[in-house]
Amino acid sequence: MPTQREQNIIEEFQRRRTRMMHSFGFCILLIILGLFILQVIDNRPVFLGISLPAWKSFAAVQLVLGVVMAVRGYWQYRCPVCEEIVKGHDKYYFGVLTDPERCPSCRSKLRE
Ligand SMILES: [Zn+2]
């Protein structure tokens, strides 16, 4: 049985993990949408009554927003004890461990 303190650490870490997964998911969605728009407008000077430069800047904003989301999600994905980003060498996913049992730097328990 984990102690109350361990339990709090696990819960806090799982919250950060969910936030990281959502950010990455949302990032991929935004980038796909941005690329899709670029693809669709490629051969049309005006699409849905909106001019090409407007679409292009819209798509660019989507791409930038996607990257910002991913970075934010990554940046907060830290061990609640030592505040180190949970990086791993196996099971790569943007260089972070997606489901670590213990923190790689301080060995705190992060999963039940
Ligand atoms: Zn740690």
Side-chain angles (χ1 to χ4, degrees):
M1 272 296 283
T3 61
Q4 186 57 44
R5 184 173 174 273
E6 280 176 333
Q7 193 62 40
N8 289 342
I9 292 166
I10 290 169
E11 273 172 28
E12 174 57 25
F13 179 73
Q14 292 302 322
R15 249 196 304 278
R16 294 179 187 193
R17 181 170 169 261
T18 309
R19 221 178 292 154
M20 185 272 290
M21 297 297 225
H22 286 169
S23 311
F24 278 156
F26 201 59
C27 155
I28 289 164
L29 221 76
L30 280 173
I31 288 175
I32 288 173
L33 200 68
L35 293 177
F36 178 73
I37 290 170
L38 288 176
Q39 193 72 41
V40 166
I41 62 170
D42 214 16
N43 298 316
R44 298 175 178 84
V46 175
F47 178 61
L48 297 178
I50 298 163
S51 69
L52 198 63
W55 274 116
K56 274 202 173 142
S57 42
F58 182 61
V61 167
Q62 304 253 350
L63 296 177
V64 170
L65 216 67
V67 171
V68 169
M69 287 289 300
V71 169
R72 276 185 57 197
Y74 177 78
W75 204 244
Q76 59 85 48
Y77 187 55
R78 292 163 187 272
C79 164
V81 181
C82 65
E83 296 296 329
E84 287 287 326
I85 292 177
V86 189
K87 288 189 195 133
H89 296 292
D90 51 337
K91 282 203 280 178
Y92 265 107
Y93 188 72
F94 292 91
V96 295
L97 285 171
T98 48
D99 196 16
E101 192 170 341
R102 287 178 182 278
C103 167
S105 43
C106 72
R107 310 304 298 160
S108 299
K109 204 165 157 46
L110 300 175
R111 181 157 50 98
E112 286 172 87

